Amino acid sequence: MGLAAATLDAFLATCFTWAVTAAGAALVFVLPPDEATQRKLLRPMLGFAGGVMTSASFFSLLAPALELAEDQLGRRWSFVPVAVGFFLGGAFLYLCDVYMETKQIHDPLELMQDAVLGRSTKKVDKPSPRRSPRSSSNPYATPSNARLRRPDAMPRVPSSLEGGRGPPQPDDD
């Protein structure tokens, strides 16, 4: 196979992957708006995605690891390092989940901001999105971010932060 044929094959595979991803993302335009139907559709989709990821992890990670361990340790004990690594990875994910629950962090981005940037992510007045169901499937209709949609409700920037320059702020009535 020449370089041109390999390049064409790679391009076609990339286009196929893009098309399948775009088709999956386009489902948001045809899904029904009510949350109950969305949840009924989401469960089998998540199950399918979990099965795909499990098979991908086995065929891409665990099977080659078993072959490598068999070459190094022999057939009898080749499963031990792979099983230990597999269970340690699962335990690590479980401990991460427990840690995030104890810190009441329900979004990995909040955890990153807290750890890396040193920001406090505790929000007292806003309930967790995981714990409180919304009455609407539109995330922009929630009262918690209603002030973000109204330009007149945006907080004023103190002139000391602007350096005394910048657009004039409206006066408070």
Side-chain angles (χ1 to χ4, degrees), residues 4-17:
T7 304
L8 179 64
D9 287 345
F11 176 73
L12 292 176
T14 302
C15 288
F16 175 75
T17 305

Side-chain angles (χ1 to χ4, degrees), residues 101-121:
E101 286 291 327
T102 58
K103 293 289 187 176
Q104 296 179 352
I105 298 172
H106 302 291
D107 184 11
L109 181 60
E110 290 178 15
L111 181 65
M112 182 202 68
Q113 289 172 346
D114 189 29
V116 175
L117 302 176
R119 295 183 188 170
S120 176
T121 57

Side-chain angles (χ1 to χ4, degrees), residues 2-173:
L3 181 63
T7 304
L8 179 64
D9 287 345
F11 176 73
L12 292 176
T14 302
C15 288
F16 175 75
T17 305
W18 172 83
V20 172
T21 304
L27 286 175
V28 299
F29 298 116
V30 296
L31 287 178
D34 63 306
E35 194 168 334
T37 308
Q38 287 179 359
R39 288 191 182 275
K40 286 180 186 176
L41 291 172
L42 184 63
R43 286 187 181 129
M45 287 180 190
L46 287 175
F48 178 75
V52 168
M53 291 307 296
T54 301
S55 67
S57 67
F58 177 77
F59 291 115
S60 297
L61 300 172
L62 292 176
L66 281 170
E67 290 176 9
L68 183 64
E70 187 177 321
D71 291 342
Q72 292 179 354
L73 300 174
R75 188 162 181 83
R76 183 173 179 180
W77 297 105
S78 64
F79 72 94
V80 173
V82 176
V84 168
F86 182 79
F87 287 116
L88 283 176
F92 176 74
L93 289 176
Y94 176 74
L95 290 174
C96 287
D97 190 42
V98 168
Y99 174 75
M100 288 176 66
E101 286 291 327
T102 58
K103 293 289 187 176
Q104 296 179 352
I105 298 172
H106 302 291
D107 184 11
L109 181 60
E110 290 178 15
L111 181 65
M112 182 202 68
Q113 289 172 346
D114 189 29
V116 175
L117 302 176
R119 295 183 188 170
S120 176
T121 57
K122 297 287 183 194
K123 294 175 180 66
V124 178
D125 61 338
K126 184 179 175 185
S128 167
R130 183 190 295 180
R131 305 257 188 253
S132 62
R134 290 193 301 252
S135 61
S136 170
S137 63
N138 183 359
Y140 300 105
T142 59
S144 63
N145 62 4
R147 65 178 178 82
L148 298 177
R149 292 182 285 132
R150 295 191 342 250
D152 59 324
M154 296 300 285
R156 290 180 53 178
V157 177
S159 60
S160 61
L161 294 177
E162 293 178 348
R165 296 181 302 271
Q169 299 289 332
D171 293 331
D172 291 336
D173 294 330

